[in-house]
Amino acid sequence: MIKFAIWGYLKQNFIKKFIKIVVAVIVVLVSLQAGILIFVQFPKVQTWLAHKAVNAVSNNINGKISVGKVYYVFFNKLIVKDISVVSTDQTPFLDSLKSARGYSDTLMAVDKLSVNLHISDLLKGEIKLNKIVVNGGEFNLQTEADRRSNLDRIFKLDKNKVKDTSASAPNLLANTLLVKNFRFTMKNHTRYRFKGDNIINFADLDVRDININISDVHLKSDTLYACINRIAGEDKSGMALVNLSGKARISGKEVMVGDFYLQDKYSVINSKYFYMKYSSSKDFSQFTQKVELGLNMEDSYLNFQTIGKISPSLADSRLAFFIDGEVRGPVRDLRSNNLVVTSESGNSFLDFKVRMQGLPDISRTMAVVEVRNSSTTFKDIASIVASINNIPRNKALAALAPGEKFAYRGTLTGLVDDFVIDGKVLSNKGNCDIDLLFRNERKYGSRFHGSVSMDNVNLGYIINKGILGETTADTRLNVLFRRGGGMEIDVDTVSVKNIYLYGYNYSGIEGKGVYSDREFEGSLVSNDPNFKFSFDGRVSLKENFLNGAEYDFRALLSYANLSALNIDMHN
């Protein structure tokens, strides 16, 4: 991805100048060979001529271009060793960047460059290269002052200068481009903030072991075409690009990659296409706001260990899922109308539309999700919640409603670990209207706080207690699924219209209280026609019911029809 961004920035300036340098070197060699063919076949003579050419170019830049040895073999192969472009400017400001921020005088260095070319095509204004091989080297792009880079300063590039578009670029064709063991660094001292040794920092990139295999490179008008067979490399943070491939088309306004494939250590993205659209290369200086992205994923797999390399708050997360659908927009404002996410187990899925504002800082990214359809189980929910924090699965949550599928339709609004759930839960065991705040509390666990309205929900099936049955009730509650296991239920208010218990439908029950660790403390009032009852106090069942249980309460039984309640069938 970095390569595409850099290409758009360099294409109209540095590449043109660099091509002129290469052409100057080659033309000098070719012209003299035409006259003194045998003489210039000696490598020392070719090297001397190349030095003369690059020295002439060096006089026009704020730097020095150097080459080691040059070999031009059999009129179709050029080998150049030890190429470098180094800044010659010395100022207190540049010296401070080198000492404090690790900046380098070297813009570019190449250990060995091998090019197969046809001189006759070059003289016609065409560059036809059979094979380009870059063995070893580095490229250091560094922001210095006033958003200008070392590249701008060394080559005297003026971003405000109106470019001459009347002159056509030479036709470029290359069968194969191979880059081996290369290094790329990018530093921006104005935006640098330490995020952690294992978090990728786009203001301090250091990508090593870069290997590139590109074929069928050709330039038509202002558009570059190429088949990317593989791009790989690893940043010092441990963020690694295992493979990037696709069919690329790059112009002054757009980067388009068809059959896009991206793989790192944890995730795999397959897409029909990936694109970046921009008005000019200047937009890359404000990439997250001004560059429009597009991605159409198919059978892709996203693991939050990838995102954790970008966002420190998710560094420990192990959440992962399969994803299909299209995403568009700048990084700061991504949106999709047709995403489908499936859990690793395959037992949960979400079909939804979404808008996310605030990336790449995912901990502060606000999302609005509209869920059209979904399906899950409590067991899978427990696994998903556990994977977010990389902790053991909560057994109490996983044991609820074994095997039962639940569907959710509604909205999710908020941050990735702090959001509002507002919608309807549907199942064969009853329906619920919910308005809950979910908060991932790292020290304590996962908390749900809000209101739930149940419509004929079979509580007995959900909590695996056969004495209970269908329940219709409204409640405000606060539920904590603890990080170490177990749960705590704090009921602010509950109003039960009906609840099935031991074969009888109770009604007119109001209450509040807290249940935690098999202990209940609260109050309960029943105005059922057959059961007039009030309770206020604490009941602890932490030990055996008859041995070690604790009770501290006041209760008043005004009336009870034991026969109607199916407790005592005698009259």
Side-chain angles (χ1 to χ4, degrees):
M1 310 297 293
I2 295 172
K3 291 292 180 180
F4 295 148
I6 292 171
W7 171 258
Y9 180 74
L10 302 180
K11 183 169 78 72
Q12 295 184 343
N13 300 288
F14 174 58
I15 295 300
K16 286 184 178 180
K17 289 200 174 191
F18 189 72
I19 288 176
K20 289 180 181 179
I21 294 170
V22 175
V23 170
V25 174
I26 296 173
V27 168
V28 169
L29 293 172
V30 173
S31 300
L32 290 176
Q33 282 180 336
I36 46 174
L37 180 61
I38 298 176
F39 179 70
V40 296
Q41 283 297 304
F42 294 103
K44 288 185 178 181
V45 176
Q46 295 170 347
T47 301
W48 179 80
L49 293 172
H51 286 171
K52 288 293 183 181
V54 298
N55 286 338
V57 177
S58 293
N59 292 333
N60 297 316
I61 67 172
N62 295 321
K64 180 178 176 57
I65 302 173
S66 302
V67 296
K69 293 184 178 181
V70 179
Y71 306 87
Y72 183 56
V73 185
F74 303 122
F75 299 100
N76 67 357
K77 187 172 185 178
L78 177 67
I79 300 174
V80 185
K81 291 186 176 180
D82 300 324
I83 307 169
S84 65
V85 180
V86 180
S87 168
T88 55
D89 288 337
Q90 298 291 329
T91 68
F93 174 68
L94 293 177
D95 289 342
S96 69
L97 290 179
K98 285 186 286 186
S99 60
R101 298 296 184 184
Y103 277 40
S104 172
D105 285 328
T106 301
L107 171 66
M108 184 189 72
V110 175
D111 297 341
K112 180 181 177 181
L113 172 66
S114 176
V115 182
N116 287 47
L117 73 165
H118 301 282
I119 296 301
S120 59
D121 294 324
L122 182 63
L123 297 176
K124 296 176 185 178
E126 297 180 345
I127 302 177
K128 291 185 178 180
L129 309 174
N130 182 46
K131 190 175 185 179
I132 306 171
V133 180
V134 178
N135 258 306
E138 62 183 276
F139 191 97
N140 302 302
L141 185 63
Q142 300 161 171
T143 299
E144 296 174 344
D146 301 325
R147 293 187 178 180
R148 287 179 59 80
S149 68
N150 56 339
L151 178 68
D152 300 324
R153 176 176 53 81
I154 292 173
F155 282 92
K156 301 178 181 179
L157 304 179
D158 186 356
K159 294 181 179 180
N160 298 318
K161 183 179 179 181
V162 178
K163 298 177 176 62
D164 181 11
T165 58
S166 60
S168 61
N171 291 330
L172 172 65
L173 297 100
N175 288 339
T176 304
L177 168 63
L178 299 176
V179 178
K180 303 176 181 178
N181 194 29
F182 205 75
R183 180 186 180 190
F184 171 76
T185 69
M186 184 167 67
K187 295 180 179 291
N188 186 338
H189 69 98
T190 64
R191 296 187 176 182
Y192 177 81
R193 301 290 185 277
F194 180 73
K195 298 180 178 181
D197 292 331
N198 297 320
I199 306 299
I200 190 167
N201 193 327
F202 291 101
D204 187 21
L205 287 174
D206 187 354
V207 185
R208 305 192 182 210
D209 298 324
I210 298 174
N211 289 280
I212 301 174
N213 184 334
I214 298 177
S215 60
D216 193 22
V217 182
H218 55 284
L219 182 65
K220 289 184 179 180
S221 185
D222 67 339
T223 303
L224 180 72
Y225 299 83
C227 180
I228 304 170
N229 301 312
R230 182 171 184 257
I231 297 177
E234 183 166 349
D235 181 67
K236 63 181 180 180
S237 64
M239 180 77 166
L241 179 62
V242 176
N243 188 16
L244 185 151
S245 63
K247 297 175 182 177
R249 183 181 76 239
I250 305 171
S251 69
K253 302 287 185 181
E254 180 185 54
V255 173
M256 172 66 77
V257 184
D259 298 329
F260 179 79
Y261 178 85
L262 185 148
Q263 178 185 359
D264 68 2
K265 291 179 178 179
Y266 313 107
S267 304
V268 176
I269 302 298
N270 285 294
S271 181
K272 293 179 181 178
Y273 59 78
F274 167 77
Y275 68 72
M276 296 188 294
K277 294 181 179 179
Y278 41 90
S279 58
S280 71
S281 59
K282 295 180 182 179
D283 288 349
F284 283 95
S285 64
Q286 300 180 61
F287 180 83
T288 59
Q289 292 93 354
K290 291 193 173 183
V291 178
E292 178 89 7
L293 306 179
L295 189 69
N296 192 352
M297 294 171 284
E298 293 181 329
D299 298 324
S300 296
Y301 175 78
L302 180 61
N303 191 309
F304 268 43
Q305 291 185 77
T306 296
I307 300 175
K309 284 292 184 182
I310 302 172
S311 177
S313 64
L314 295 173
D316 296 328
S317 179
R318 295 298 180 267
L319 177 64
F321 47 78
F322 299 94
I323 184 168
D324 293 83
E326 185 179 37
V327 178
R328 293 186 178 186
V331 172
R332 285 282 185 185
D333 189 11
L334 286 175
R335 54 197 178 276
S336 174
N337 291 321
N338 62 334
L339 278 182
V340 177
V341 168
T342 306
S343 65
E344 283 192 289
S345 68
N347 291 322
S348 299
F349 82 89
L350 281 175
D351 179 358
F352 62 99
K353 60 187 295 186
V354 62
R355 183 174 184 179
M356 295 184 293
Q357 295 176 295
L359 290 171
D361 186 353
I362 195 165
S363 64
R364 297 183 180 181
T365 296
M366 177 65 68
V368 178
V369 181
E370 182 181 328
V371 180
R372 291 184 289 253
N373 197 9
S374 67
S375 179
T376 189
T377 64
F378 275 107
K379 183 177 181 180
D380 220 32
I381 290 174
S383 297
I384 292 169
V385 170
S387 68
I388 293 175
N389 291 321
N390 192 23
I391 59 175
R393 187 173 63 184
N394 187 288
K395 294 181 180 179
L397 180 60
L400 297 177
E404 182 65 23
K405 290 278 189 176
F406 295 86
Y408 172 75
R409 297 191 182 108
T411 60
L412 308 171
T413 306
L415 307 176
V416 67
D417 58 358
D418 188 349
F419 57 87
V420 174
I421 308 168
D422 186 6
K424 184 180 287 289
V425 177
L426 309 171
S427 77
N428 293 328
K429 305 303 179 183
N431 303 325
C432 287
D433 289 315
I434 61 175
D435 184 1
L436 294 173
L437 171 65
F438 167 80
R439 181 168 291 158
N440 181 30
E441 300 177 355
R442 291 187 170 274
K443 287 185 177 181
Y444 306 108
S446 300
R447 186 181 298 277
F448 295 85
H449 180 231
S451 61
V452 177
S453 294
M454 294 180 284
D455 182 14
N456 292 323
V457 174
N458 191 327
L459 285 180
Y461 185 85
I462 292 175
I463 66 174
N464 201 23
K465 299 294 183 182
I467 61 174
L468 285 170
E470 292 185 349
T471 301
T472 298
D474 298 321
T475 182
R476 286 193 59 81
L477 74 171
N478 190 327
V479 181
L480 174 66
F481 293 97
R482 293 198 184 100
R483 186 180 180 90
M487 63 179 173
E488 177 182 310
I489 304 174
D490 185 351
V491 179
D492 295 333
T493 61
V494 60
S495 177
V496 180
K497 294 179 181 179
N498 70 272
I499 180 170
Y500 183 88
L501 176 64
Y502 281 122
Y504 177 76
N505 263 323
Y506 290 81
S507 63
I509 299 174
E510 306 283 338
K512 63 180 181 179
V514 177
Y515 174 82
S516 176
D517 298 328
R518 300 189 67 190
E519 179 176 295
F520 173 78
E521 183 172 0
S523 62
L524 193 69
V525 176
S526 172
N527 288 308
D528 184 87
N530 293 304
F531 187 61
K532 305 293 184 179
F533 175 77
S534 65
F535 170 94
D536 186 10
R538 179 174 64 89
V539 175
S540 176
L541 300 177
K542 291 183 179 181
E543 305 295 336
N544 183 276
F545 183 79
L546 297 177
N547 183 19
E550 296 180 3
Y551 310 95
D552 182 8
F553 62 85
R554 289 174 296 175
L556 176 63
L557 178 61
S558 301
Y559 173 75
N561 186 335
L562 300 183
S563 176
L565 297 177
N566 293 319
I567 296 175
D568 187 345
M569 301 309 295
H570 295 86
N571 291 331

